[in-house]
Structure formats: structure tokens, C-alpha cells
């Protein structure tokens, strides 16, 4: 297991444990957990606390909607066994992303964003957040940008650096609306990230400001 050095905070892990995170954020936490034993241990502890709390609560009638969701999730668990998946999917792709990626990153319909970046949208969350993969070429830059909402990033392959430091496979980052940063992929290989943006990205360079109206339109 890779040693991630940037982790989701305990508040986020507690919300993940309670099942109260939006799908988009839960995907990022889940992708990180596959690379991080220490967050896995924290999660187990939080799960134990949660189940002890549940035992102290009086039983309530589950709604039909909740029952149906539970049954659906059990169905999806039995659809593909790990042995079947292991034959076809690149083993370094987190399991939580297998629903979007049949075999490998190369099979996806990457769209060119700039000379350095390609992206592919995986899904939209019900809260409007965009879940996508970003691929930055070796040494490529993701252009200085800020966000109109929080941005969650997990590195799936390769590494990048920005003003705050170096990030490697498995690292989990949250950038707020006031953070302006310029991620640059390291030279040795391309960098693939899972990225969740809760509002349109705002490019801040002179030329790239011209892109903003088009980026915003893609959120409409
Ligand atoms: Zn961690």
C-alpha cells in the first residue's frame, strides 16, 4: 500500500462512516482509503463508535425508500465478484471507480482541456458537483485557478506539486474557494487525479480568464 501523506480530516471520515457525505465526496474518501491504512484504522474506530451509538437508540421503522436503497446496494454487491473484476480491471484503479471504468484509464473518452490536460467527466452528484478524472502530462501545468466551491482531489497515478508542496499517489486534498493554486505534474510520468468540484473552476491567468465563461456554461 502506498504511503499517502495528505489525508481527509476526522470530521470528513466521521461523515463518511455515518453515510452522510454526498456521493462525490464519498468517492474521493473511498479512493483515498484504498491507499491509506491509517485512515482505514480511523474509519474502523469511527464505525465502532457509530454502531455503539446505534445500539443505544430505540429501533425506528425504516422507510420503504431506505429499504429499497439497501436492497439495491446489496444487488450491486453481488453483480461482480472480486475474482471476476480482477481479471479485467487495471488493479491500480480504486474499486469505487470500477463502475465508471471498464478496464483501464486509456479506454475512457478523454477530452482535451489544454495542451497539458485531458479530462473525462464520470458523473454529476445530485448537489451539482462534477466528478471527473484529470490527466496532466509529465511536467504539465493545470493553470492557475481558484474555485467557486470546494475542490476535492485524490491522486490516482503519478504525482504533482503546487505552491503548498508535493503530492503523491493516494494523497487527498481539499481546496477552498479562497485557495489559488497551480498544480504541476512531476516530470517522470503523467498524473491522473480524481477531482470533485462543487462549483465552476475560475481560471486566474490573463489568457485563461477568457476561458471562464465557457467553463461556467458547462455547469449550466
Ligand atoms: Zn489517509
Amino acid at each position: 500500500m502506498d504511503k499517502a501523506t495528505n489525508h481527509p480530516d476526522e470530521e470528513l471520515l466521521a461523515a463518511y462512516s455515518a453515510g452522510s457525505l454526498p456521493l462525490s465526496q464519498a468517492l474521493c474518501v473511498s479512493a483515498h482509503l484504498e491507499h491509506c491504512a491509517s485512515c482505514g484504522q480511523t474509519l474502523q474506530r469511527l464505525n465502532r463508535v457509530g454502531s455503539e451509538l446505534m445500539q443505544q437508540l430505540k429501533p425506528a421503522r425504516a422507510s420503504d425508500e431506505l429499504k429499497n436503497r439497501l436492497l439495491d446496494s446489496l444487488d450491486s454487491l453481488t453483480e461482480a465478484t472480486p475474482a471476476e473484476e480482477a481479471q479485467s480491471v487495471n488493479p491500480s484503479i480504486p474499486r469505487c471507480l470500477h463502475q465508471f471504468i471498464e478496464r483501464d484509464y486509456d479506454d475512457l473518452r478523454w477530452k482535451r482541456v489544454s495542451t497539458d490536460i485531458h479530462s473525462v467527466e464520470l458523473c454529476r452528484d445530485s448537489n451539482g458537483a462534477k466528478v471527473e478524472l484529470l490527466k496532466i502530462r509529465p511536467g504539465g501545468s493545470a493553470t492557475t485557478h481558484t474555485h467557486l466551491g470546494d475542490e476535492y482531489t485524490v491522486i490516482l497515478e503519478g504525482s504533482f506539486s503546487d505552491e503548498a508542496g508535493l503530492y503523491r499517489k493516494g494523497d487527498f486534498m481539499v481546496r477552498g474557494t479562497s485557495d489559488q493554486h497551480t498544480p504541476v505534474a512531476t516530470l517522470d510520468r503523467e498524473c491522473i487525479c480524481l477531482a470533485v468540484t462543487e462549483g465552476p473552476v475560475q481560471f486566474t491567468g490573463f489568457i485563461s480568464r477568457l476561458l471562464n465563461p465557457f467553463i461556467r456554461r458547462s455547469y449550466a
Side-chain angles (χ1 to χ4, degrees):
M1 187 174 281
D2 300 88
K3 266 229 170 295
T5 50
N6 291 273
H7 310 268
D9 61 26
E10 195 158 320
E11 204 177 320
L12 208 58
L13 285 175
Y16 179 86
S17 166
S20 59
L21 277 187
L23 169 77
S24 49
Q25 293 176 26
L27 277 173
C28 290
V29 173
S30 186
H32 171 78
L33 284 166
E34 292 192 32
H35 293 288
C36 185
S38 81
C39 284
Q41 285 166 2
T42 306
L43 183 68
Q44 281 180 5
R45 178 170 57 75
L46 291 165
N47 286 346
R48 277 197 301 274
V49 172
S51 73
E52 278 163 23
L53 280 172
M54 288 294 281
Q55 283 168 12
Q56 291 168 18
L57 293 172
K58 285 185 186 156
R61 259 182 74 81
S63 70
D64 288 343
E65 191 206 341
L66 184 65
K67 279 185 204 158
N68 288 337
R69 272 169 50 193
L70 183 64
L71 290 172
D72 285 348
S73 64
L74 289 174
D75 282 347
S76 66
L77 281 177
T78 54
E79 271 166 14
T81 64
E84 282 167 345
E85 283 192 358
Q87 289 176 358
S88 57
V89 186
N90 171 351
S92 95
I93 296 175
R95 280 189 298 277
C96 63
L97 298 180
H98 288 191
Q99 58 192 304
F100 306 109
I101 305 168
E102 216 166 294
R103 282 171 179 273
D104 212 343
Y105 295 117
D106 293 342
D107 306 329
L108 296 166
R109 293 173 159 231
W110 293 95
K111 283 189 192 164
R112 185 178 181 277
V113 179
S114 71
T115 46
D116 289 354
I117 308 168
H118 283 74
S119 74
V120 59
E121 184 174 321
L122 300 181
C123 66
R124 288 294 178 117
D125 201 344
S126 55
N127 63 8
K130 188 196 252 187
V131 180
E132 61 186 342
L133 295 180
L134 298 176
K135 185 163 68 176
I136 314 173
R137 71 171 177 82
S141 160
T143 314
T144 307
H145 65 274
T146 56
H147 328 103
L148 298 181
D150 286 344
E151 178 188 66
Y152 295 78
T153 309
V154 182
I155 299 190
L156 305 177
E157 298 290 340
S159 50
F160 76 71
S161 60
D162 69 8
E163 290 81 349
L166 176 69
Y167 306 93
R168 297 187 185 85
K169 187 169 175 172
D171 274 339
F172 179 102
M173 289 144 275
V174 185
R175 294 276 184 266
T177 48
S178 57
D179 294 319
Q180 178 174 312
H181 66 131
T182 315
V184 177
T186 51
L187 288 167
D188 53 332
R189 56 173 304 185
E190 67 183 15
C191 175
I192 297 178
C193 303
L194 173 64
V196 166
T197 36
E198 299 192 315
V201 168
Q202 186 88 2
F203 290 105
T204 49
F206 172 69
I207 299 292
S208 40
R209 267 205 297 272
L210 300 172
L211 284 170
N212 285 330
F214 301 102
I215 303 283
R216 262 187 236 117
R217 206 171 298 155
S218 79
Y219 267 83

